[in-house]
């Protein structure tokens, strides 16, 4: 069936479907643009962000007012907030993406078959990506930069709490794209805040190629359950720090402070501390001091809770929680094996860290823990696309198909086979 033959009695559904048709058409052009043409758009967007900074920050103030009036959490307000420094961060992210190698058109795995045909693989865009996210208006910059550089059209559907900020940023995108002579549909925004709009979009598998939800667990589960389109899940970040009996406790304390205190409302912050019993008494003194200094609330096993001033005894559910605040769970274990088992049973497949001076135990931890990012003696806060060399990220996938971990340009492409011959036929 020709896509344009589809029609719906529901006006909202029809308008959204028409939006996806325009996006699909724009994707055909975007896929053919050179790296320099795409970089021109990114450079224009960087300038627009600074030129329109006052309007963006004014729009953000409206969203912050809405958030406070509706008693949104401190973590949500922090994600939502824009200031001059964060705008500069978005500009920096655009320049970082400009400097990244464009994966589109890359050839690999070239081989000559016995019959003389040459078989290779070429990286190509996915097509149209629907991005559904909450708060964090910087996503409208970073996600669109990555999709555009990788040759994909993005349809952005942010949360109602960031409505004004997102629209101000998308206006900048449209100005930048049109100034470079291309269709503004290369970056689209869903013009409705209704839940029905999302449900409609999740049915359009003939015009949308991939859905990426970023936000709370309920949002991601709802998208996964209702979508007819492939979904890459970005579930919660229950990140663990395991302090081994062979740990350097000064390093462990530094990684705990950085992972929990520096920015507790992000998905790569630490949510659970696992401590080997042999060093527990000594290290819990440091944990208690840190908790008292920064007001950290602990959900701990009975033994550990007795040594912490701001603690209550944890339930098993507490070890599954993503707190996104100055709170975390604590578990004291009798052995390395018990630490592995605890993390495996409570991991959200995001990021896990071991602190140890024993190289073999560190290597064993890497082999046995199958989260998307596994670290030895390094802060969980490095679990980020920019920190890992991707320039920026569209999210951190906790699904093993089609991408796992921070998603950058390469993860927003797929591969096709390219076969070159000299007239070879299989039978004739």
């Amino acid at each position: 069936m020709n896509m344009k033959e589809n029609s719906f009695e529901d006006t909202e559904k029809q308008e959204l479907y028409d939006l996806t048709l325009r996006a699909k058409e724009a994707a055909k052009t975007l896929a053919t643009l050179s790296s320099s043409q795409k970089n021109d758009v990114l450079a224009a967007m960087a300038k627009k962000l600074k030129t329109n900074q006052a309007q963006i920050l004014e729009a953000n103030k409206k969203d912050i007012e809405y958030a406070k009036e509706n008693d949104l959490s401190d973590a949500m307000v922090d994600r939502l907030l824009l200031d001059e420094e964060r705008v500069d961060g978005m500009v920096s992210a655009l320049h970082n993406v400009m400097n990244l190698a464009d994966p589109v058109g890359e050839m690999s795995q070239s081989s000559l078959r016995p019959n003389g045909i040459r078989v290779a693989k070429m990286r190509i865009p996915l097509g149209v990506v629907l991005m559904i996210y909450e708060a964090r208006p910087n996503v409208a910059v970073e996600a669109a930069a990555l999709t555009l550089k990788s040759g994909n059209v993005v349809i952005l559907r942010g949360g109602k709490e960031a409505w004004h900020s997102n629209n101000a940023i998308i206006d900048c995108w449209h100005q930048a794209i049109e100034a470079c002579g291309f269709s503004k549909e290369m970056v689209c925004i869903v013009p409705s805040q209704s839940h029905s709009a999302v449900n409609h979009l999740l049915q359009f598998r003939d015009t949308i190629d991939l859905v990426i939800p970023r936000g709370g667990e309920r949002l991601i589960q709802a998208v996964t359950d209702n979508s007819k389109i492939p979904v890459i899940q970005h579930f919660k970040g229950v990140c663990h720090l395991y302090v081994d009996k062979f740990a350097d406790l000064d390093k462990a304390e530094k990684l705990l402070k950085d992972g929990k205190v520096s920015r507790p409302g992000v998905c790569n912050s630490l949510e659970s501390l696992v401590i080997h019993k042999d060093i527990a008494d000594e290290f819990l003194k440091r944990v208690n001091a840190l908790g008292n200094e920064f007001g950290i609330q602990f959900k701990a096993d009975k033994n550990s809770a007795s040594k912490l001033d701001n603690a209550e005894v944890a339930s098993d559910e507490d070890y599954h929680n993503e707190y996104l605040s100055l709170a975390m769970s604590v578990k004291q274990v009798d052995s390395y094996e018990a630490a592995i088992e605890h993390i495996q049973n409570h991991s959200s497949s995001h990021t896990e860290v071991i602190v140890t001076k024993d190289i073999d135990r560190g290597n064993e931890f890497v082999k046995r823990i199958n989260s998307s990012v596994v670290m030895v003696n390094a802060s969980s806060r490095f679990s980020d696309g920019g920190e890992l060399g991707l320039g920026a990220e569209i999210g951190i996938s906790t699904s093993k198909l089609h991408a796992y971990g921070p998603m950058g340009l390469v993860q927003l492409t797929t591969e096709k086979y390219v076969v070159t011959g000299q007239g070879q036929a299989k039978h004739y």
Side-chain angles (χ1 to χ4, degrees):
M1 177 186 291
N2 187 313
M3 289 189 296
K4 293 184 179 179
E5 293 178 5
N6 288 346
S7 61
F8 308 97
E9 293 183 3
D10 186 298
T11 301
E12 180 185 59
K13 189 173 185 179
Q14 185 64 56
E15 289 176 350
L16 291 168
Y17 188 71
D18 291 342
L19 171 68
T20 67
L21 283 174
R22 296 193 299 272
K24 195 76 172 177
E25 195 64 28
K28 296 176 184 177
T29 301
L30 180 50
T32 67
L33 297 188
S34 67
S35 296
S36 62
Q37 287 175 309
K38 291 183 283 190
N39 282 341
D40 286 345
V41 176
L42 298 179
M45 177 57 178
K47 291 178 181 178
K48 289 294 181 184
L49 283 177
K50 293 304 293 182
T51 301
N52 297 342
Q53 178 175 278
Q55 295 94 311
I56 293 170
L57 296 183
E58 189 62 33
N60 185 249
K61 285 181 182 178
K62 297 178 182 178
D63 292 329
I64 296 297
E65 289 173 7
Y66 171 88
K68 292 179 178 179
E69 288 171 0
N70 288 272
D71 296 322
L72 299 187
S73 68
D74 290 343
M76 183 69 81
V77 173
D78 176 62
R79 290 182 173 193
L80 184 59
L81 177 66
L82 290 179
D83 54 24
E84 187 171 346
E85 182 179 355
R86 290 189 178 181
V87 172
D88 287 341
M90 293 189 287
V91 171
S92 178
L94 287 164
H95 287 292
N96 287 340
V97 175
M98 287 170 60
N99 292 330
L100 293 174
D102 186 349
V104 177
E106 283 183 359
M107 302 294 291
S108 64
Q109 300 181 35
S110 177
S111 63
L112 191 65
R113 304 294 298 151
N115 61 2
I117 64 171
R118 181 166 292 280
V119 180
K121 284 186 171 182
M122 176 187 285
R123 287 218 161 266
I124 60 172
L126 296 170
V128 176
V129 177
L130 171 61
M131 184 84 184
I132 303 170
Y133 59 100
E134 296 173 336
R136 294 191 66 183
N138 62 304
V139 171
V141 173
E142 295 185 7
L146 286 166
T147 52
L148 191 144
K149 182 71 179 269
S150 57
N152 299 289
V153 165
V154 68
I155 300 174
L156 295 166
R157 202 285 186 177
K160 62 182 179 180
E161 69 280 351
W163 176 253
H164 298 95
S165 304
N166 286 332
N167 276 279
I169 291 170
I170 298 304
D171 282 346
C172 292
W173 272 117
H174 289 170
Q175 292 172 34
I177 294 168
E178 291 185 327
C180 293
F182 306 118
S183 167
K184 67 179 183 180
E185 269 78 21
M186 289 180 177
V187 176
C188 303
I189 187 169
V190 178
S192 170
Q193 300 181 55
S194 71
H195 291 297
S196 60
V198 174
N199 291 331
H200 292 322
L201 288 164
L202 294 176
Q203 310 309 305
F204 298 153
R205 58 187 172 191
D206 59 338
T207 51
I208 299 173
D209 299 284
L210 180 69
V211 181
I212 302 177
R214 276 183 68 173
E217 189 172 7
R218 289 176 60 189
L219 166 70
I220 296 168
Q221 194 61 60
V223 170
T224 303
D225 290 345
N226 292 297
S227 181
K228 291 183 178 179
I229 307 162
V231 176
I232 291 183
Q233 299 170 337
H234 296 244
F235 268 125
K236 61 186 180 181
V238 182
C239 304
H240 292 81
L241 176 71
Y242 169 50
V243 182
D244 185 42
K245 71 176 181 179
F246 299 116
D248 179 322
L249 297 190
D250 288 337
K251 290 181 181 177
E253 182 181 352
K254 181 170 71 171
L255 297 186
L256 174 61
K257 181 178 178 180
D258 190 55
K260 182 73 265 184
V261 176
S262 63
R263 198 174 174 197
V266 294
C267 66
N268 61 10
S269 65
L270 290 173
E271 302 290 16
S272 190
L273 173 64
V274 183
I275 311 172
H276 194 285
K277 68 173 185 177
D278 289 2
I279 50 86
D281 285 349
E282 183 179 355
F283 192 65
L284 281 169
K285 293 176 183 177
R286 299 176 181 232
V287 174
N288 190 49
L290 199 66
N292 288 335
E293 180 181 358
F294 293 98
I296 304 171
Q297 301 295 314
F298 299 104
K299 305 278 189 174
D301 62 272
K302 188 174 182 180
N303 192 5
S304 297
S306 68
K307 298 176 173 64
L308 297 169
D309 294 334
N310 304 320
E312 57 185 67
V313 176
S315 66
D316 185 67
E317 185 60 32
D318 290 327
Y319 290 109
H320 289 281
N321 279 351
E322 182 185 34
Y323 294 95
L324 297 175
S325 64
L326 286 172
M328 70 187 310
S329 62
V330 179
K331 178 69 174 179
Q332 190 175 153
V333 293
D334 292 335
S335 66
Y336 173 82
E337 288 295 327
I340 294 288
E341 182 178 1
H342 178 82
I343 293 171
Q344 289 175 335
N345 289 339
H346 299 90
S347 171
S348 64
S349 298
H350 194 293
T351 301
E352 325 298 348
V353 182
I354 183 174
V355 186
T356 186
K357 292 183 283 188
D358 187 316
I359 295 174
D360 291 336
R361 284 165 88 91
N363 290 338
E364 182 72 11
F365 187 84
V366 169
K367 289 179 182 178
R368 294 181 61 183
I369 298 297
N370 287 321
S371 294
S372 66
V373 180
V374 184
M375 300 185 171
V376 180
N377 299 325
S379 173
S380 65
R381 297 285 281 114
F382 289 118
S383 185
D384 170 85
E387 297 291 349
L388 298 181
L390 304 183
E393 67 182 29
I394 202 165
I396 297 179
S397 170
T398 55
S399 307
K400 292 185 178 179
L401 295 176
H402 116 110
Y404 198 33
M407 291 182 62
L409 292 177
V410 172
Q411 291 76 23
L412 287 168
T413 63
T414 186
E415 292 180 309
K416 67 179 177 184
Y417 282 94
V418 177
V419 180
T420 306
Q422 298 82 37
Q424 290 93 331
K426 186 173 181 181
H427 297 292
Y428 300 99

